[in-house]
Structure formats: structure tokens, C-alpha cells
Amino acid sequence: ADTDGFVRDRVTYAVRAKGGKEWQTLASAAFSDARGVSFDGFDASGDHIYSLAPLSGRTALYAVATDGSGASTLVYSRDDVDVDGVMRIGKYNRAVGARFDTERSEVHYFDAPLAKLSGALNKALPGHPQITILDES
């Protein structure tokens, strides 16, 4: 709702940097814009927010700094399909990869140990089946 109490077709995302007192606006978008910016949680350090935003006609995953600079870094994109969000696993729900759908649901692991493990399992198993890591303990 706006300061006058009316609900508008707009959402504003704001964040405070660690130890900061002031809210920094990261983005503003229309609720009705299916291709608008959205946020998918913090990275492990808390210094970046994962953001889904348009890139060349598709949705890509970015890391946006929470320090108020607005700096963003492309984490993952594909030319053929949209990135759907961040895959999280484990007790602390940590972000480990970017989710997307081709003929099936897939994950691009940006967590290096899981990317290595997934690749090794794919090579080691007969027929090279798709390996998806669901959780960890």
C-alpha cells in the first residue's frame, strides 16, 4: 500500500546492509508484470540477494549487492529457457544452484562441491542418467 493507504500495482524491494540502519531500494516493478524483477533470498554471506530479472527475452538469475550500490552480477542464464529460481538444500536452506526446465526439471549447481559431485555421478552411472541432489545432511 502507498503512504495514503491505497494498494497500487507496484512492488518495491528494499534491503538494509549488514549493520546498516537505512533501507536501500533495490528495485521497483509492477505486480502485473510477469517478467518483472523478483527476489529469491539471500546468498550465504548475506551480502547479495538472488534476483530473477529479464535478460534477452528470458529470465536470468543475478546476485544483487545489499550495500546500496545496486551492483549486480549474472549468476546463470540460458538462451533456450527461463531460470525459475534458486535451489536450496540442507538444514540451513542454503542456495546451491539455479533451477530451470527443459524437457525435465534441471539444476545448474553454482555450489562447486555439488557441481563436482553431480558431474562425477553422471559420468560414473551407466547410461549417464540425470542426477539431481535433493538434500544434504
Side-chain angles (χ1 to χ4, degrees), residues 14-26 42 46 49 66-68:
V15 68
R16 284 189 304 199
K18 282 192 247 178
K21 295 184 189 272
E22 301 297 320
W23 287 96
Q24 304 290 328
T25 298
L26 294 177
F42 289 90
I49 291 179
T66 59
D67 63 4

Side-chain angles (χ1 to χ4, degrees), residues 70-124:
S72 68
T73 305
L74 180 64
V75 175
Y76 188 69
S77 69
R78 291 184 58 103
D79 293 334
D80 56 341
V81 295
D82 293 329
V83 175
D84 298 326
V86 174
M87 179 182 180
R88 296 178 177 279
I89 63 172
K91 179 179 179 180
Y92 299 105
N93 208 23
R94 69 186 183 93
V96 296
R99 292 182 289 107
F100 60 94
D101 293 318
T102 55
E103 294 84 35
R104 60 186 184 262
S105 295
E106 298 184 52
V107 176
H108 166 80
Y109 294 100
F110 47 73
D111 177 85
L114 287 182
K116 184 177 178 181
L117 176 62
S118 175
L121 288 171
N122 277 320
K123 288 179 186 175

Side-chain angles (χ1 to χ4, degrees), residues 8-13 27-31 37-38:
R8 307 281 186 217
D9 183 33
R10 191 134 211 87
V11 62
T12 300
Y13 298 97
S28 184
F31 277 120
V37 176
S38 67

